[in-house]
Amino acid sequence: MFARFSMLAVVAVLASGCANTSPVLGSKHINYGDTKAVETVTNEFGSTDLQMIAESMTRSLAQSGVLRGRPVVQVYDVKNKTSEYIDTREITTSIKTQLMKTGTARFASDNTDMQSQVDQLKLQNQSGLYKKSTVSKTGNMVAAQYRLEGSISSIVKRSSDYKDVFYKFSLQLIDVESGVAEWMDEKEIRKTTER
């Protein structure tokens, strides 16, 4: 009986040691939300808009058939032609990520990451710090067959009762050698707030 009680006590102690007793830090008024839920806090550009644009453009480009054979694409930052701050880098990053997941394209270092690529090659080849057999050789970077670029613009209208914001996102895929636009699409979003 005593042995059985001791065994139960040991099991209980071990089980309580496995329980998650970590305290929760921070405010009690903050909750995690659904990242795919429609966000309507303001009528400014938000997470739902970014997701809709990225999903729409990715689907359109992947289904166009232009990217047969997984060509190398270089992505340029989207030009922000709106009157508000929009992190357009996040739009292109989302599009790249989704295209990469579909397996339809490969991506060269884009215009903002090119200097990091060059610096890494210089470091490996000129510093003398690396074993020669592991050094990446210069002159072997793969050139992009296509360039992906776009812009986002907005039209804002106000009255005493309403504020209407119309966003237009345009994206195009251009053949680097010929300069010919092989694919283009746009996504429009309208957000209206009653005051």
Side-chain angles (χ1 to χ4, degrees), residues 39-147:
E39 174 260 312
T40 56
V41 177
T42 69
N43 64 359
E44 296 171 336
F45 191 86
S47 61
T48 300
D49 306 318
L50 185 149
Q51 290 169 346
M52 283 193 313
I53 287 170
E55 288 169 9
S56 173
M57 293 296 124
T58 302
R59 184 174 42 257
S60 175
L61 182 52
Q63 292 174 354
S64 72
V66 175
L67 299 177
R68 275 188 217 94
R70 295 186 65 232
V72 176
V73 177
Q74 187 169 28
V75 178
Y76 284 71
D77 285 343
V78 170
K79 294 175 187 158
N80 182 0
K81 297 179 179 180
T82 70
S83 59
E84 64 184 281
Y85 171 76
I86 296 175
D87 188 351
T88 58
R89 185 98 172 124
E90 284 305 312
I91 298 171
T92 54
T93 299
S94 291
I95 292 169
K96 277 175 65 173
T97 301
Q98 290 183 31
L99 283 171
M100 187 71 85
K101 285 180 178 180
T102 66
T104 55
R106 297 173 294 153
F107 296 95
S109 292
D110 59 32
N111 56 335
T112 56
D113 292 333
M114 182 56 81
Q115 191 57 53
S116 297
Q117 177 68 16
V118 170
D119 291 345
Q120 180 62 31
L121 283 170
K122 282 182 181 176
L123 179 66
Q124 287 188 22
N125 284 277
Q126 297 172 3
S127 68
L129 296 172
Y130 298 94
K131 184 189 269 188
K132 290 282 185 202
S133 63
T134 64
V135 170
S136 297
K137 309 293 184 269
T138 58
N140 289 324
M141 287 177 58
V142 176
Q145 182 180 349
Y146 295 105
R147 176 175 90 245

